Amino acid sequence: MTNSTVLCRLAVVSAFVWALPGVAADLVTVGAASTTSDAPIYIADKKGFFRDEGLEVKVTNFRSAADMVAPLAIGQLDAGAGSASAGLYNAVSSGIKIKIVADTASSTPGYGATKILVRKDHVEGGRYKTLADLKGMKFAMNAPGVSNTATLNALLKSVGLKYSDVDTVNLPFPDHVAALANKAVDASASVEPGPTISIKNGFAVLVKADDEIIPNHQIAVLLYSENFALKKSDAAKRFMRAYLRAVRFYNGALKDGRMIGPNADEVISILAESTPIKDAAIYKAITPTGMNPDGKVNVESLAQDLAFYREQGLIQGEVRLDQLVDHSFVDAALRELVPYQR
């Protein structure tokens, strides 16, 4: 029996059981940020994976994971997805009890969606020749204490420079393109689709992508509220099964560093419906984010970023990753799902 046959039979049986009269679906509230890294949530919803598990999932869009922390803390949200940022760690250190339970975005080989760019005229004019020439440049960033700051720090450190050797200015990611075009900044640490747009229009050149700078860098994570993890643990396990099925479906859209795999058209259609990017051509042109098909987060990567945020003076209080990261829900799902095969 093939893996796909097993999954199909499991889905059919689950759907039948939960469709029986008197069997009510469990409501799960989920926060998302309308980004590509939220794809598994949207996929599991649109393809009925949550329904197969007897779950009715209500997705609410937020500006960022930071805005989800308070609703997670008081139980208004059961789950959420977003950056493992300094803001998240400070919330945890202040006593808010949430768990990091799975990967939602990571820089797997070939899928570094975060890119370091330098203005093209600096390359053509000789201002930039090697990584050491980044010293003194003004960088467009998006916020302190987020993953792309750790990416830039690691790149600078590789050539003996410090984060303080560059000047940073925080702008929303979409504004990075205009800042490079107008020469308001010298360089940027940007996330797709901005890099592809900037390079295509001749505003900038690629220096390095995140998967080269920090391989398997943990960019974003799936969060569970304490209430969901402890008091609704059965629903939390079923949610994770549906989520990992969706992660694997997403991975079926990836090929050769692009979203051009067998599932690409369907994944792009779901993303176009659920996120601000509506043009299918953009999805096929950019470098999509990577995702671990087995769901585990890269704890070592989280620890490295956390250490950098501490160096920057952005962390207040004690944060222990061994208490924050909980792989038990992923482990339970993997025991029931067939091994992943690309």
Side-chain angles (χ1 to χ4, degrees):
M1 186 180 296
T2 66
N3 291 346
S4 60
T5 302
V6 172
L7 284 174
C8 287
R9 290 187 177 180
L10 175 63
V12 169
V13 171
S14 297
F16 173 75
V17 170
W18 290 106
L20 289 174
V23 180
D26 291 318
L27 176 64
V28 178
T29 54
V30 182
S34 296
T35 65
T36 302
S37 62
D38 295 319
I41 294 172
Y42 301 129
I43 291 169
D45 185 33
K46 300 297 182 184
K47 289 191 67 63
F49 297 163
F50 289 136
R51 186 174 60 252
D52 292 344
E53 294 289 349
L55 302 174
E56 179 188 346
V57 173
K58 179 183 178 182
V59 180
T60 301
N61 290 321
F62 291 78
R63 288 180 302 175
S64 69
D67 294 334
M68 300 177 206
V69 170
L72 283 165
I74 62 176
Q76 287 182 346
L77 282 179
D78 294 312
S83 174
S85 65
L88 173 65
Y89 292 131
N90 284 330
V92 171
S93 69
S94 70
I96 292 178
K97 295 181 180 180
I98 53 181
K99 294 291 185 181
I100 292 175
V101 294
D103 165 53
T104 63
S106 48
S107 296
T108 52
Y111 295 93
T114 299
K115 300 180 187 297
I116 306 298
L117 307 177
V118 170
R119 274 181 13 213
K120 190 174 182 179
D121 63 302
H122 282 331
V123 176
E124 295 174 339
R127 167 67 179 85
Y128 176 82
K129 296 178 181 177
T130 69
L131 290 174
D133 297 325
L134 295 175
K135 185 173 183 177
M137 285 192 176
K138 179 183 283 189
F139 268 81
M141 308 299 288
N142 66 311
V146 292
S147 63
N148 66 329
T149 65
T151 299
L152 177 56
N153 179 63
L155 183 63
L156 294 170
K157 191 175 180 180
S158 71
V159 290
L161 297 177
K162 297 177 292 185
Y163 197 75
S164 58
D165 285 328
V166 299
D167 182 22
T168 60
V169 55
N170 293 319
L171 303 168
F173 280 129
D175 293 347
H176 287 200
V177 176
L180 290 164
N182 298 332
K183 302 181 180 180
V185 296
D186 301 300
S188 73
S190 304
V191 174
E192 293 283 23
T196 293
I197 295 171
S198 295
I199 293 168
K200 182 178 180 180
N201 285 282
F203 305 148
V205 297
L206 174 65
V207 175
K208 269 192 175 184
D210 192 46
D211 61 313
E212 301 173 274
I213 301 167
I214 309 177
N216 297 304
H217 190 190
Q218 191 64 58
I219 305 298
V221 294
L222 181 66
L223 305 167
Y224 276 3
S225 71
E226 182 183 45
N227 183 66
F228 191 50
L230 297 181
K231 297 182 180 180
K232 303 178 182 178
S233 60
D234 181 65
K237 290 175 182 177
R238 286 184 273 132
F239 183 95
M240 186 62 73
R241 282 199 300 266
Y243 178 82
L244 287 187
R245 285 180 65 193
V247 169
R248 293 173 176 196
F249 191 85
Y250 170 85
N251 272 272
L254 306 185
K255 181 181 178 182
D256 301 331
R258 294 288 183 269
M259 198 174 288
I260 56 174
N263 297 343
D265 288 342
E266 191 170 358
V267 169
I268 289 171
S269 176
I270 292 171
L271 286 171
E273 183 180 348
S274 307
T275 75
I277 301 174
K278 305 301 181 184
D279 188 348
I282 292 178
Y283 287 105
K284 293 188 177 182
I286 66 175
T287 302
T289 187
M291 292 181 194
N292 183 350
D294 288 332
K296 296 289 183 74
V297 300
N298 185 338
V299 179
E300 182 180 354
S301 175
L302 291 178
Q304 291 171 349
D305 285 5
L306 177 58
F308 171 60
Y309 302 154
R310 287 191 193 282
E311 290 174 10
Q312 294 286 294
L314 300 174
I315 301 297
Q316 303 161 2
E318 181 68 21
V319 179
R320 289 185 55 182
L321 288 175
D322 62 334
Q323 295 179 345
L324 178 58
V325 177
D326 182 353
H327 279 142
S328 65
F329 298 96
V330 165
D331 289 336
L334 292 176
R335 285 194 292 269
E336 298 187 28
L337 295 174
V338 296
Y340 175 73
Q341 294 181 358
R342 177 169 292 281

